[in-house]
Amino acid sequence: MKRLLVFGLAVAIAAAGGAGYWLGHGTAPTPKPLAPASPAPAKSAQAERRILYYRNPMGLPDTSPVPKKDSMGMDYIPVYADEAVAPGTVRLDPAKIQTLGVRTAPVEERTALTKTIRATGIVQFDERGLAVVTTKVAGWLEHLAIAATGTAVHRGQILAQIYSPELVASEQEYLVAADMAAQAGHGGHADPAALVAASLERLRALDIPEDEIARLRRTGRAERRIAVRAPEDGVVIEKPALEGMRVAPGDPLYKIADLSTVWLIAEVQEQDLGLIRRGQKAYASLVAFPGRRFDGTVDFVYPTLSTDTRTGRVRIVVPNPDLLLRAAMYASVQIDAPLGTGPVLAVPASAIIDSGTRQVVLVAQGQGRFAPRAVALGVHGDDWVQVTDGLKPGERVVVGANFLIDAESNLRAALQAFMPSEVGSAAGKGPAR
């Protein structure tokens, strides 16, 4: 124990002596580093970010170039240079983007835009398929083969039989002329062959069918009744004829309609008439046949406009092979009208925010940023709108929850308008020290 104490005192005296020596000479020894010096710690990313200004923590339009507290003792929030955005730009974190249901779509070049024009229509008979059966001679209807409306008939089918003294006399005249030509040949005061030809032309002028003339030549006997035949296929839609009635030349006996095609007369709004062209496809649905679609083609746009409804009539030809479509049926009509002829730059219609005086879209800028941008629009299709200025192909625009983002964007822009001018100058100089 004594040895340890003596050794400690000796060391202390030696250290004190050495210190006195160095103090007396005014210098101190340079300590030898035990290990290589480590590099200075890098500044944090937070310290390197430049602060533009400090904003109110409650979102009030109040900023400060230096740190301070609000009336509730809350610290103002620093706004860094890399967070500075254009007026109205909104920055959302991923959780909020998911909560709002934000969806984006690319700006595309589309070959053509189409607009579906909707209208109401009424089915009518095709006027080009209507026929009225008449007679060119006076007589009496002695027999009606078709005695009811709605009956389907075929071309050449016997509809009625008429007794006409004039027709009987014309047939007998033809037989006499033919007999004279056969017996005398050519010669005399008249040419028998010419009389035969004249008699034949008279029969044809009275609408005597060719098969009746052939029967007349074959049998050499005039018939008391002459058949009235259907001029075309169709359905009897009117039948003024009654058995036993006397008819005069030109009196209608039957009215026949060809129902293989029908007309659909659509009432199109005035603002859509300029888009209608002949040959465009049209589709009709009727309450009588739910779930079934009837296709047609635009055939004619009438040159008049209704002053009461401000609509124009469009004629659509619709095939009717099953004869399901009937006159006066009500139909809902859709017409596909192309807009323009070349490719156009377009965005989904839901991306447009229209204030009435200007149109805006929200452009996704990445990292949760969405900036409003004014655009110039062209034609409006069903789901797409042409953009003539303001966007480029490939940019993405917001198509879902854009009204919520736009409301926040307008609020940001309004708050920025309240920022004092000195803050803007402070933003260029950096935070005050």
Side-chain angles (χ1 to χ4, degrees), residues 166-192:
E166 183 179 356
L167 288 177
V168 175
S170 297
E171 286 192 351
Q172 290 175 344
E173 178 184 341
Y174 170 77
L175 292 176
V176 170
D179 185 61
M180 291 174 59
Q183 293 181 5
H186 299 283
H189 297 286
D191 185 355

Side-chain angles (χ1 to χ4, degrees), residues 285-287 289-293:
S285 58
L286 294 88
V287 294
F289 307 103
R292 182 164 181 175
R293 191 183 78 174

Side-chain angles (χ1 to χ4, degrees), residues 77-344:
I77 301 173
V79 176
Y80 296 91
D82 59 354
E83 295 179 343
V85 293
T89 300
V90 177
R91 190 174 198 179
L92 303 177
D93 57 66
K96 192 171 185 180
I97 291 176
Q98 186 175 5
T99 301
L100 293 177
V102 178
R103 293 179 293 107
T104 62
V107 181
E108 298 182 10
E109 278 199 17
R110 301 184 69 85
T111 55
L113 298 182
T114 59
K115 180 179 181 180
T116 301
I117 298 173
R118 304 181 187 277
T120 58
I122 299 294
V123 177
Q124 295 184 6
F125 295 121
D126 187 341
E127 294 177 2
R128 292 168 293 197
L130 295 178
V132 177
V133 180
T134 63
T135 179
K136 293 183 178 180
V137 295
W140 287 263
L141 291 174
E142 290 193 344
H143 175 68
L144 295 182
I146 302 299
T149 57
T151 305
V153 296
H154 303 286
R155 183 184 183 88
Q157 182 178 346
I158 296 177
L159 303 179
Q161 289 182 325
I162 186 173
Y163 164 66
S164 172
E166 183 179 356
L167 288 177
V168 175
S170 297
E171 286 192 351
Q172 290 175 344
E173 178 184 341
Y174 170 77
L175 292 176
V176 170
D179 185 61
M180 291 174 59
Q183 293 181 5
H186 299 283
H189 297 286
D191 185 355
L195 293 177
V196 173
S199 300
L200 184 61
E201 289 300 322
R202 177 178 174 81
L203 290 176
R204 288 171 176 164
L206 295 176
D207 285 345
I208 300 299
E210 290 295 331
D211 59 346
E212 175 62 18
I213 295 175
R215 185 204 63 79
L216 190 62
R217 288 172 175 170
R218 184 177 63 255
T219 62
R221 185 181 71 254
E223 279 288 342
R224 185 174 182 275
R225 291 177 178 179
I226 302 299
V228 177
R229 300 177 182 272
E232 62 180 21
D233 295 344
V235 175
V236 176
I237 58 174
E238 293 182 16
K239 188 194 71 65
L242 297 175
E243 191 168 308
M245 68 180 293
R246 186 182 188 279
V247 294
D251 285 350
L253 304 180
Y254 297 90
K255 188 173 183 179
I256 299 174
D258 180 8
L259 299 183
S260 60
T261 61
V262 294
W263 284 357
L264 183 57
I265 306 301
E267 298 287 340
V268 177
Q269 294 296 322
E270 182 178 2
Q271 65 267 22
D272 294 329
L273 281 175
L275 301 175
I276 304 297
R277 298 288 185 274
R278 183 177 182 181
Q280 291 174 344
K281 297 300 182 182
Y283 313 96
S285 58
L286 294 88
V287 294
F289 307 103
R292 182 164 181 175
R293 191 183 78 174
F294 296 85
D295 299 346
T297 305
V298 175
D299 182 64
F300 184 72
V301 179
Y302 288 85
T304 58
L305 195 72
S306 171
T307 56
D308 296 330
T309 61
R310 307 306 303 174
T311 57
R313 296 193 305 161
V314 175
R315 185 171 72 209
I316 302 169
V317 177
V318 182
N320 187 31
D322 299 330
L323 305 183
L324 296 178
L325 301 180
R326 299 169 173 84
M329 276 187 167
Y330 179 84
S332 297
V333 184
Q334 296 181 6
I335 302 174
D336 290 340
L339 305 175
T341 57
V344 296

